[in-house]
Amino acid sequence: MLKLAVLVSGGGTNLQAILDALADGRITNAQMTVVISNNRNAYALTRAEKAGVLSQCICPKDYENREMYYDALLNALEASGAELIVLAGCMVVMPEKIVRRYENRIINIHPALIPSFCGKDYYGLRVHEGVLERGVKVTGATVHFVDCGTDTGPIILQKAVEVLPEDTPKTLQRRVMEEAEWVIMPKAIDLIANGKIQVKDGMVVETKVPESPQMEDKS
Ligand code: GAR
């Protein structure tokens, strides 16, 4: 059973999608051990409580400086025994020390088709504002492994979503969540939990299962 720690900051609809997929068997071989928020008021914390998952709030403002906050976060992750860290609407950029400690074991959902509309200025609703300002006709979501850059790690799954002429940032955000994020986030976790993918030369590839030797026909 792969132990998951889920990091959140807000509403937690992606967290809910993961909880639902664990409950109905779309994710197998995994269990959620902790949900950690940097924001005390995140509704995601309530979702975790309702699902009976241990939840914890680790807020930067409770620490003297950023390094101490990162240390507290790392300690909590280590104490949880997490084997995969899932950034599900987490607005904290992971520091190098956490990325290196969990190399290829942190995944993030981004609400656009990377490499478009990503990087440090694009998060949450801003992504969809950017998409509408540019007038692109197709957007989507991406699940990727986290490396030391912002939204630069190996891509696991992507799903495209149509942009409609009457869209506002909020209607587009909702459609991207419903049609893409809540689908590919659980799918990516299931692939990892079942050893179906691996990172090779900076790319995500399918894990090749060695073919079983052919039985000799003795008849
Ligand atoms: C989601 O759209 C997620 O893709 C985005 O924030 C939203 C959180 O919603 N994440 C980022 O922008 C990270 N760069 P949720 O709390 O309801 O899952």
Side-chain angles (χ1 to χ4, degrees):
M1 281 277 187
L2 186 75
K3 289 184 182 161
L4 311 175
V6 182
L7 270 53
V8 295
S9 297
T13 64
N14 279 286
L15 167 67
Q16 192 64 55
I18 300 165
L19 287 167
D20 293 348
L22 284 166
D24 68 20
R26 277 174 296 134
I27 300 176
T28 57
N29 279 329
Q31 65 183 122
M32 203 182 290
T33 54
V34 72
V35 170
I36 301 175
S37 174
N38 61 305
N39 165 17
R40 213 173 293 287
N41 301 316
Y43 185 67
L45 289 170
T46 308
R47 292 183 193 271
E49 273 163 40
K50 281 188 181 165
V53 177
L54 177 72
S55 64
Q56 229 177 323
C57 185
I58 302 178
C59 300
K61 59 176 186 290
D62 294 339
Y63 297 88
E64 255 172 57
N65 56 49
R66 204 71 187 170
E67 279 317 303
M68 289 169 86
Y69 161 66
Y70 290 144
D71 287 344
L73 182 57
L74 182 54
N75 286 341
L77 291 170
E78 286 182 338
S80 76
E83 294 159 308
L84 181 70
I85 298 167
V86 180
L87 309 183
C90 174
M91 300 303 159
V92 176
V93 176
M94 288 299 108
E96 204 174 319
K97 76 168 87 165
I98 295 185
V99 175
R100 296 218 184 280
R101 166 73 180 76
Y102 292 96
E103 198 185 354
N104 293 333
R105 285 188 295 143
I106 307 178
I107 63 170
N108 178 50
I109 180 99
H110 182 74
L113 294 174
I114 289 174
S116 290
F117 306 102
C118 63
K120 70 177 175 51
D121 294 329
Y122 286 112
Y123 54 87
L125 212 54
R126 289 197 191 186
V127 176
H128 308 291
E129 287 165 358
V131 163
L132 292 176
E133 275 161 23
R134 185 62 186 85
V136 299
K137 305 302 178 208
V138 175
T139 182
T142 305
V143 183
H144 63 94
F145 284 107
V146 172
D147 64 7
C148 289
T150 308
D151 301 328
T152 51
I155 292 172
I156 304 168
L157 290 173
Q158 292 188 299
K159 192 165 189 288
V161 173
E162 199 183 347
V163 180
L164 301 179
E166 63 274 20
D167 267 330
T168 64
K170 286 218 158 147
T171 61
L172 185 57
Q173 179 183 49
R174 183 75 194 180
R175 187 167 339 98
V176 169
M177 284 175 158
E178 283 176 358
E179 292 183 12
E181 296 186 40
W182 303 341
V183 178
I184 61 174
M185 183 52 129
K187 213 172 185 175
I189 295 170
D190 186 60
L191 288 173
I192 295 166
N194 288 287
K196 298 265 176 67
I197 55 166
Q198 57 184 313
V199 179
K200 226 175 176 181
D201 304 326
M203 302 274 212
V204 172
V205 293
E206 269 180 50
T207 307
K208 291 264 180 299
V209 185
E211 270 179 44
S212 48
Q214 293 289 314
M215 295 290 281
E216 217 178 299
D217 188 357
K218 295 237 168 83
S219 60

